[in-house]
Amino acid sequence: MDLENTAALVTGGASGLGEATARALAAAGAKVALLDMNAARAAEVASEIGGIALACNVASAESAEAAVAEARAQHGAARILINCAGIGKSGRVVGKAGPMPLEDFRRVIEVNLIGSFNLIRLMAADAETLPPLADGARGVIVNTASVAAFDGQIGQAAYSASKGGIVGMTLPIARDLARSGIRVCTIAPGIFATPMLRGLPQEVQDSLAASIPFPRRLGQPEEFAALAMHIIANPMLNGETIRLDGAIRMAPK
């Protein structure tokens, strides 16, 4: 797919994996809309890459619909969606203070899983209206899961459930949207140098990096972006979840 002047939506585009992918898309000529709760930081990134920033709560139908409508008005219907918005909240099912608050579990599911589906449904509805490209394609969706979908650690019940849900819906959504020429893939990153991880003490970062078989370092957001860009470019990648983790398999804790 030629990305020159192609409209793209990136959720969580203000930082980390989303920011790196937004920058890669813009460098390839795409018209990028960054959808993020951190509107100020999204605006900074957008100004640097020639995109637009839109405040968006992916877990809200109304907020996402408004953001996608504004992106459509400025850039046209999107052929590319990169779902990177997400949160992580750890907690044991039963901790020292008692059972995990149900709202904590619900919030992670709402943002990570329902939020991803929310943008998928909206982008797909728009992409279906676009004329097919030479190979019949109309669009590509790249979701973000995590190795926690497969190797969830103690305290990651909510996070693993949300990311496992993203993995689980990848193939059926790809099959659903195949008739429209819209491909769907998911990347399951391991331990990456995102702002959240960079905020940890250096000794903790070093310990995490040492647990990765090879390369023995934290993944870089640009490496996630490179895989997202390859998924967009390779028409045979569809309905697949790809681990991007340096062969790590997470221990229980």
Side-chain angles (χ1 to χ4, degrees), residues 12-177:
S15 63
L17 306 179
E19 178 183 347
T21 308
R23 291 183 182 278
L25 286 164
K31 298 182 292 185
V32 183
L34 291 81
L35 281 60
D36 204 290
M37 291 282 283
N38 188 343
R41 174 56 187 159
E44 291 178 14
V45 176
S47 68
E48 293 173 8
I49 66 174
I52 59 173
L54 300 167
C56 180
N57 174 6
V58 297
S60 162
E62 294 76 15
S63 179
E65 288 165 8
V68 171
E70 181 59 27
R72 184 194 314 120
Q74 296 198 42
H75 287 168
R79 289 191 186 270
I80 306 294
L81 168 64
I82 310 294
N83 265 324
C84 286
I87 60 173
K89 187 174 181 62
S90 61
R92 289 177 179 261
V93 177
V94 181
K96 293 180 180 178
M100 173 190 289
L102 186 58
E103 183 54 35
D104 289 355
F105 188 93
R106 178 181 289 114
R107 180 61 179 159
V108 175
I109 298 296
E110 285 178 346
V111 174
N112 296 356
L113 178 56
I114 296 175
S116 294
F117 181 81
N118 192 14
L119 269 295
I120 289 171
R121 71 186 183 93
L122 298 174
M123 176 272 187
D126 275 356
E128 283 187 342
T129 68
L130 294 170
L133 302 176
D135 61 356
R138 285 190 171 86
V140 183
I141 296 167
V142 179
N143 299 310
T144 305
S146 166
V147 295
F150 311 101
D151 311 329
Q153 296 184 297
I154 291 171
Q156 286 190 321
Y159 187 72
S160 293
S162 70
K163 296 302 187 178
I166 292 172
V167 172
M169 72 181 180
T170 298
L171 180 59
I173 293 178
R175 288 171 164 170
D176 189 343
L177 299 179

